Amino acid sequence: MATLEERIARLEAIEQIKSLKHRYLRACDDKRPDEFRNCFIAQGAVIDYGPRVGKFEDADGIAEVFSRLALHRVDDQIVILDMHHAVHPEISLVSETEATGAWTLRFRQVNLMDKTERVSAIEYADRYVVEDGAWRIASCEVTVLWALVTPLPEGFTIMESFS
């Protein structure tokens, strides 16, 4: 049986990984590409966001796509508005420096160029490692369970944005 110190260390690691994922999701919604990139390992992250976004052999590639899409502006207004809410985390420690995680993502996106709203149920399968003393995402695979895309209603108004 694990000692109390070992059990506390495992719980602390799991909470640190949850904080990492929340920081990643918040960076997505808040349009902070540097913070988004820093959630991944420095080199060699394996990322598969599916056919809609793509596969990447390093986080720099997805960070570039994120910056291009998330920060895209028309008439000085951000035109892609996202909401990422991850729930049901299942974090499993493989060792003191490696873990896996499964999350369910409730994703909502307003696209002001296409005038559509996308609502999706998505599953994340992640692998985390400790790098430079902090947990980072080493791999991330996304499976879209379903998506509903509807046109925005006539006369819609966005009350707050990143303008």
Side-chain angles (χ1 to χ4, degrees), residues 4-153:
L4 180 59
E5 289 80 16
E6 290 169 334
R7 291 169 50 203
I8 289 172
R10 290 180 68 81
L11 292 173
E12 287 177 340
I14 289 170
E15 286 304 313
Q16 290 167 0
I17 291 168
K18 287 179 181 176
S19 291
L20 167 66
K21 191 69 171 186
H22 293 150
R23 191 169 49 253
Y24 162 83
L25 298 168
R26 195 169 291 111
C28 291
D29 291 347
D30 290 347
K31 316 289 187 189
R32 294 190 306 242
D34 290 341
E35 189 169 333
F36 171 89
R37 173 61 183 92
N38 288 335
C39 291
F40 294 93
I41 58 175
Q43 294 182 334
V46 177
I47 301 156
D48 183 355
Y49 283 175
R52 188 165 173 251
V53 179
K55 294 181 182 178
F56 306 88
E57 297 295 324
D58 192 86
D60 290 340
I62 187 63
E64 181 181 317
V65 170
F66 172 77
S67 292
R68 186 170 21 92
L69 295 176
L71 301 177
H72 184 72
R73 291 178 177 265
V74 174
D75 297 330
D76 202 34
Q77 182 179 21
I78 295 283
V79 291
I80 302 293
L81 306 173
D82 292 331
M83 183 168 64
H84 296 73
H85 289 178
V87 296
H88 313 308
E90 292 182 31
I91 310 298
S92 299
L93 293 179
V94 177
S95 69
E96 291 179 2
T97 59
E98 185 176 356
T100 60
W103 297 79
T104 298
L105 178 67
R106 297 176 181 165
F107 178 68
R108 191 170 201 168
Q109 181 179 73
V110 172
N111 183 327
L112 297 176
M113 292 183 302
D114 297 343
K115 295 185 174 38
T116 58
E117 177 184 25
R118 172 183 293 270
V119 178
S120 303
I122 296 171
E123 292 292 323
Y124 279 111
D126 295 343
R127 189 172 65 84
Y128 310 96
V129 298
V130 173
E131 183 179 77
D132 297 329
W135 288 97
R136 302 271 190 247
I137 301 169
S139 69
C140 180
E141 183 177 346
V142 165
T143 301
V144 177
L145 301 178
W146 59 265
L148 172 68
V149 179
T150 57
L152 293 172

